[in-house]
Amino acid sequence: MLRRAVACSVGNRCNLCLSYQRYVLTNCLRRDVHLLSNLAEKLDVLSDFSCHIKPLKSKSGSSGLGKIPNKQISEIISALRQNDLVRELAYEQGMSNKIFATCITKFQQYLVESSQLPEEIELTLNDIAIGQRSADDIFPYFLQHSQKIYPILMCFSDLQKISKLTNPANWYPKAREMKRKIVFHAGPTNSGKTYEATQAFFQAEKGLYAAPLRLLATEIYKKCDELGVPCDLITGEHQRFVNEDRSFCGHVACTVEMANLEQVYDSVVIDEIQLLRDEQRGYAWTRALLGLPSREVHVCGEPAAVNLVKQLAETCGDEFQVQSYERLTPLCFEDFALQSWREIEKGDCIIAFSRTSIFKVTAELEKLGVKYATIYGALPPATKIEQARVFNDPESGVDVLVASDAIGMGINLSIRRIIFYSMDKFTRNNAGILTKVKVPQHLALQIAGRAGRYGSAYDFGYVTAFGESTLRDFKEIASQPIGQVEKAGIAPTFDQLQMFAYHLPEYTLKNLIEIFNLIAQIDKNFFVCPSFEFKEIANLLEEIDLPLEAKFKFCIAPANVTMVPFLSSLMLKFAQSYSRGQAVSCEMIKKLIKWPIETPKTCAALDNLESVNEGLELYLWLSYRFPTIFDDQENVTRLMIETSELIKEGLETLKLCNLNRGAAMKAKQETPRKRKKLSSSLKELKRQMYIEQKPNDQEEVAQIHESNSNKTEKQQTAIIDYAKSKAEKIDASHGNSWPALDPLNSADEYQN
């Protein structure tokens, strides 16, 4: 076979030919596959072997040898399956173990079920059957058949080159041209690290501040305004420029995804750098760290990220420096848990990791008549800021905050004590499935550190939990060794996916991103972000006729389509409008959401309104990417302000209704009565009420006392008093007529 391969005429080299010749050379010489391929190419022996192989669907051969028995085919395939070198070559051609098993099974099925095989395959099988050739000589035909099942195998080597992500630092030539100095401001929450880092930003001639949240970006933007420093604000949904032509004014505060890598800066600040480990957004921090062209790059974050950032700085050839900070106020982890909601005090913040749990907590506080503020992720930024203001204001009468992990960063709060309601949190696993896990250590400590903020009303912070089991969970999580940030997230660019699409034109965008993530070659310091939401949106838009670049932009939109069904519907309608070239106006959105909307009076109505607000934010995000289609930005912005006000009013309405109900329950519970289970029957209770109406019937009285001989006097009094009060209330509203009422239900109500 080696002589046959060498005798091939030189021509275009198909993957089958190259793979087979590499296989022959490896078998003969037992040396490195890549080295021998290069050597063979120089000797002109890597010719087009495919000229000797007809397509598998060609007319059957005329070898005259006949088809070999199925048993022998099974033995040949079994030998091929167990050959380690065959598996190695199959892997090099892009076959994972699962794909290899599928392909070899289908190849065996093809050999067995075909009435007549191509001549070349027939000859090879017969030679193997009589022992003149080995079973692995059938490999080229197996590979050709596999490529028909999985077309990706035909261009696998090209795709591997495209998805080679082993040195992401080289993606940013403008930053590599500079000698940068990276300063890591390392410290826990409330250590002043961000304050120190931003001083260089304020004083620089050209500066950028990259924030994890638009709230933080807005805070720095306002700080610049106070200092008289001209500053632009750029987030995904809002952009404000000092210059009318939208040119760079010298300073910009932005969310990390919006950082401009083409502008050269004197000083930049990347906040919460440890988030480069985040599975969904980590790529944005990696991109900013490696790609921002600035003389100084100040990064703020947890000490756990120092080693990784140092390694990345070394790969870029940058100078690296660490400035360490200690917490400015003491923080105490208490040894006792709260057992009752009556133990809640002024300045407490109760942390719950789901919206459902938040409303459970608020319901308990309402029963006690406690006034509270609420902050969670789905609330609009303006509402979060307003709730924080009310909680921080000592004159507002709001003493307690109920919040999610949304307070972990971005909002300044005057908290005395953090109380964890639970240490369970829902998150997505590697398969994209929502699962319940324990809160990761870094998040738990970050939230705990919000207590006793420097400069607030409390100079000492406390941390505890509701219930002993929750406190044990927190103590266990907090006492573990601090986990180091080991890898930084990266993600494919549009250009890379576009090249994938060139080789695989029939594949959907979701398929392309899945294949990219599967075969990407990455350095030990990186991981490819799973992109769950990207794939969900890509799947949602699969049937809509969109250019690849437009579809890519829709897929990176910050829309939680898996958790908010309304956003899925809205995303679909927006994409359809873009496909038709139809502009989307504010009036169209109002019809879609059935505007005007009443102030929500239930949790479900509030949830719906929050979804509407997220949809309006999505419109604004798209308006900066597709301004000709989403061209009613001004009116949609006004509509979003109105929905934010409605959400604020809805929160207050729910609190007022529930507080009134809670106050009534509290007044009722203040009566000091010891309740025991009531065993009175319906007939018995009716008779008691009847005796109260006819006290002179001595015979009835005697019967009742006899039937209640096992009851204490206190129990009998309680039953009759409650029934009488119920009767008096009903008489007052219905005259003296007695409506159809089951007194036993009233007694049960009393008991409960």
Side-chain angles (χ1 to χ4, degrees):
M1 291 302 293
L2 179 60
R3 288 195 299 272
R4 185 177 182 184
V6 173
C8 291
S9 59
V10 177
N12 294 329
R13 299 170 182 140
C14 69
N15 285 333
L16 171 60
C17 173
L18 294 174
S19 176
Y20 179 72
Q21 289 157 2
R22 289 172 63 193
Y23 165 74
V24 172
L25 291 169
T26 305
N27 236 355
C28 296
L29 302 177
R30 294 288 182 182
R31 293 183 60 187
D32 183 79
V33 174
H34 302 287
L35 178 62
L36 289 174
S37 296
N38 293 334
L39 175 62
E41 184 174 353
K42 292 177 182 178
L43 296 174
D44 278 337
V45 298
L46 287 182
S47 54
D48 191 0
F49 186 73
S50 61
C51 63
H52 295 283
I53 302 177
K54 298 177 182 178
L56 296 184
K57 292 185 179 180
S58 64
K59 187 177 179 180
S60 60
S62 56
S63 65
L65 298 175
K67 187 178 179 182
I68 67 172
N70 292 344
K71 183 179 179 181
Q72 287 183 308
I73 290 177
S74 297
E75 292 173 353
I76 293 170
I77 294 299
S78 179
L80 190 70
R81 192 193 305 267
Q82 296 172 16
N83 190 306
D84 291 338
L85 189 56
V86 167
R87 283 182 169 273
E88 180 184 339
L89 287 174
Y91 180 78
E92 289 181 8
Q93 288 297 319
M95 294 189 206
S96 64
N97 289 335
K98 184 177 180 180
I99 291 178
F100 177 77
T102 301
C103 288
I104 205 163
T105 300
K106 290 186 176 293
F107 184 58
Q108 179 178 351
Q109 184 180 357
Y110 162 74
L111 297 178
V112 169
E113 295 179 357
S114 297
S115 57
Q116 286 184 313
L117 295 169
E119 180 182 353
E120 293 80 9
I121 296 180
E122 196 174 274
L123 286 170
T124 303
L125 288 174
N126 278 281
D127 286 348
I128 296 172
I130 62 177
Q132 290 186 357
R133 295 162 74 175
S134 63
D136 46 27
D137 285 334
I138 200 69
F139 176 77
Y141 307 102
F142 161 70
L143 181 59
Q144 188 184 43
H145 185 267
S146 300
Q147 288 173 343
K148 291 183 178 293
I149 301 172
Y150 295 100
I152 186 178
L153 300 176
M154 300 182 69
C155 55
F156 184 75
S157 59
D158 291 330
L159 298 180
Q160 274 192 317
K161 293 175 184 176
I162 297 169
S163 59
K164 189 174 183 180
L165 310 178
T166 51
N167 196 354
N170 289 339
W171 300 353
Y172 312 104
K174 184 168 285 190
R176 298 293 74 77
E177 292 171 0
M178 303 181 68
K179 181 64 177 178
R180 303 189 307 170
K181 178 182 179 181
I182 296 180
V183 182
F184 196 124
H185 300 263
T189 304
N190 194 23
S191 60
K193 56 185 182 295
T194 303
Y195 172 82
E196 293 296 333
T198 53
Q199 298 311 301
F201 161 76
F202 293 135
Q203 297 169 13
E205 184 178 346
K206 294 181 179 179
L208 174 143
Y209 172 80
L213 302 170
R214 54 187 148 163
L215 282 176
L216 277 173
T218 304
E219 183 180 331
I220 295 298
Y221 168 77
K222 291 179 178 179
K223 186 66 176 177
C224 283
D225 186 54
E226 293 173 5
L227 296 173
V229 177
C231 184
D232 300 325
L233 174 65
I234 302 178
T235 70
E237 301 81 6
H238 300 282
Q239 298 185 11
R240 300 176 190 172
F241 292 90
V242 174
N243 299 326
E244 291 185 5
D245 60 358
R246 301 169 68 88
S247 60
F248 180 53
C249 73
H251 288 76
V252 58
C254 63
T255 46
V256 67
E257 287 88 349
M258 302 300 293
N260 182 3
L261 306 189
E262 298 302 317
Q263 174 67 50
V264 177
Y265 307 94
D266 297 310
S267 178
V268 302
V269 178
I270 307 173
D271 210 351
E272 305 292 351
I273 189 63
Q274 73 277 356
L275 289 178
L276 47 73
R277 67 180 158 202
D278 186 79
E279 290 192 346
Q280 297 302 312
R281 298 178 63 203
Y283 70 90
W285 275 264
T286 306
R287 170 182 173 270
L289 176 63
L290 300 180
L292 279 169
S294 175
R295 290 188 301 102
E296 288 186 356
V297 178
H298 296 265
V299 298
C300 311
E302 300 171 6
V306 169
N307 290 338
L308 177 59
V309 174
K310 182 180 179 181
Q311 293 177 38
L312 297 182
E314 290 172 352
T315 63
C316 297
D318 296 330
E319 181 184 347
F320 183 75
Q321 177 183 332
V322 178
Q323 292 184 12
S324 299
Y325 300 80
E326 298 295 331
R327 184 177 168 86
L328 298 175
T329 57
L331 184 67
C332 173
F333 293 171
E334 295 183 332
D335 293 325
F336 55 89
L338 272 69
Q339 303 297 333
S340 167
W341 293 113
R342 295 182 182 276
E343 299 176 51
I344 295 294
E345 299 175 1
K346 182 177 182 179
D348 282 349
C349 174
I350 305 156
I351 302 295
F353 291 99
S354 71
R355 194 172 179 276
T356 302
S357 296
I358 286 174
F359 283 114
K360 283 183 179 178
V361 172
T362 58
E364 294 296 330
L365 296 179
E366 287 155 3
K367 292 177 183 177
L368 301 175
V370 175
K371 291 184 178 181
Y372 60 88
T374 312
I375 297 176
Y376 52 90
L379 291 177
T383 307
K384 292 177 186 174
I385 293 173
E386 175 62 19
Q387 291 292 300
R389 184 197 65 77
V390 170
F391 173 69
N392 290 336
D393 183 1
E395 304 300 326
S396 67
V398 174
D399 298 332
V400 177
L401 176 65
V402 183
S404 70
D405 52 356
I407 69 160
M409 60 183 77
I411 307 175
N412 293 325
L413 297 164
S414 184
I415 299 172
R416 188 187 74 89
R417 179 172 61 173
I418 290 287
I419 302 168
F420 287 99
Y421 177 67
S422 169
M423 296 306 296
D424 294 324
K425 178 179 173 66
F426 284 94
T427 186
R428 294 188 181 279
N429 59 19
N430 292 333
I433 300 172
L434 205 62
T435 55
K436 186 167 72 171
V437 298
K438 292 299 179 185
V439 175
Q441 182 191 53
H442 63 86
L443 179 58
L445 294 178
Q446 186 176 42
I447 294 171
R450 304 295 285 176
R453 179 177 174 272
Y454 179 76
S456 71
Y458 306 102
D459 56 3
F460 204 109
Y462 299 89
V463 184
T464 186
F466 190 84
E468 293 294 341
S469 61
T470 304
L471 183 59
R472 281 195 301 270
D473 288 343
F474 171 73
K475 288 290 186 72
E476 182 179 351
I477 292 170
S479 63
Q480 294 172 358
I482 301 296
Q484 296 297 304
V485 180
E486 297 178 348
K487 294 185 178 183
I490 51 178
T493 64
F494 169 71
D495 291 338
Q496 290 168 324
L497 290 178
Q498 190 175 37
M499 287 188 282
F500 259 52
Y502 172 79
H503 288 285
L504 303 169
E506 302 300 321
Y507 281 57
T508 65
L509 183 56
K510 180 183 179 182
N511 295 147
L512 293 176
I513 192 70
E514 287 175 340
I515 294 169
F516 188 99
N517 291 350
L518 181 65
I519 69 175
Q521 303 171 63
I522 55 177
D523 184 83
K524 64 177 182 178
N525 289 328
F526 302 96
F527 69 92
V528 180
C529 293
S531 309
F532 300 128
E533 290 298 337
F534 185 104
K535 288 185 283 190
E536 288 298 327
I537 297 175
N539 189 51
L540 180 69
L541 307 182
E542 183 176 332
E543 301 301 325
I544 299 179
D545 183 21
L546 291 173
L548 185 65
E549 185 173 6
K551 188 172 288 188
F552 179 82
K553 289 181 179 179
F554 272 99
C555 289
I556 62 175
N560 191 0
V561 297
T562 55
M563 300 296 290
V564 186
F566 174 75
L567 284 184
S568 298
S569 174
L570 200 61
M571 176 71 78
L572 199 59
K573 292 182 183 298
F574 284 166
Q576 288 170 340
S577 296
Y578 180 88
S579 177
R580 294 191 294 263
Q582 176 186 3
V584 181
S585 67
C586 185
E587 289 303 316
M588 293 173 62
I589 295 177
K590 285 183 176 180
K591 289 180 182 179
L592 188 64
I593 64 177
K594 299 179 180 178
W595 187 266
I597 300 175
E598 294 183 355
T599 301
K601 296 180 175 60
T602 64
C603 292
L606 181 62
D607 187 31
N608 291 336
L609 191 56
E610 290 167 356
S611 298
V612 168
N613 189 77
E614 289 183 56
L616 298 177
E617 289 182 349
L618 172 62
Y619 180 98
L620 294 177
W621 190 93
L622 292 170
S623 70
Y624 290 107
R625 280 79 184 170
F626 310 107
T628 58
I629 300 298
F630 304 94
D631 59 353
D632 204 358
Q633 189 181 94
E634 185 176 343
N635 288 325
V636 171
T637 300
R638 279 199 290 265
L639 181 61
M640 192 170 73
I641 293 173
E642 291 182 50
T643 59
S644 296
E645 285 298 316
L646 278 176
I647 290 172
K648 176 185 171 183
E649 293 172 10
L651 280 174
E652 296 305 317
T653 300
L654 284 174
K655 290 177 187 178
L656 183 60
C657 293
N658 292 329
L659 281 171
N660 290 338
R661 183 167 60 248
M665 293 180 66
K666 182 180 179 182
K668 183 177 178 180
Q669 291 170 355
E670 284 176 352
T671 305
R673 294 178 178 176
K674 192 171 183 178
R675 302 179 177 95
K676 293 185 179 181
K677 187 174 181 180
L678 304 177
S679 59
S680 302
S681 64
L682 173 61
K683 182 178 179 181
E684 179 182 0
L685 190 54
K686 283 183 176 179
R687 286 164 59 195
Q688 291 176 2
M689 295 173 65
Y690 179 72
I691 290 302
E692 289 300 309
Q693 293 174 349
K694 297 182 179 181
N696 295 326
D697 194 331
Q698 299 299 323
E699 184 178 354
E700 285 285 347
V701 172
Q703 289 178 0
I704 289 175
H705 283 292
E706 182 179 355
S707 65
N708 287 335
S709 58
N710 294 326
K711 286 186 172 57
T712 64
E713 181 180 352
K714 197 171 185 179
Q715 285 177 311
Q716 295 178 40
T717 303
I719 294 173
I720 295 174
D721 286 349
Y722 186 80
K724 285 174 64 178
S725 65
K726 200 76 173 178
E728 289 171 359
K729 289 180 180 178
I730 295 174
D731 285 344
S733 58
H734 296 273
N736 290 323
S737 61
W738 188 262
L741 173 71
D742 186 347
L744 189 58
N745 288 341
S746 299
D748 288 339
E749 181 183 345
Y750 168 82
Q751 176 187 347
N752 292 330

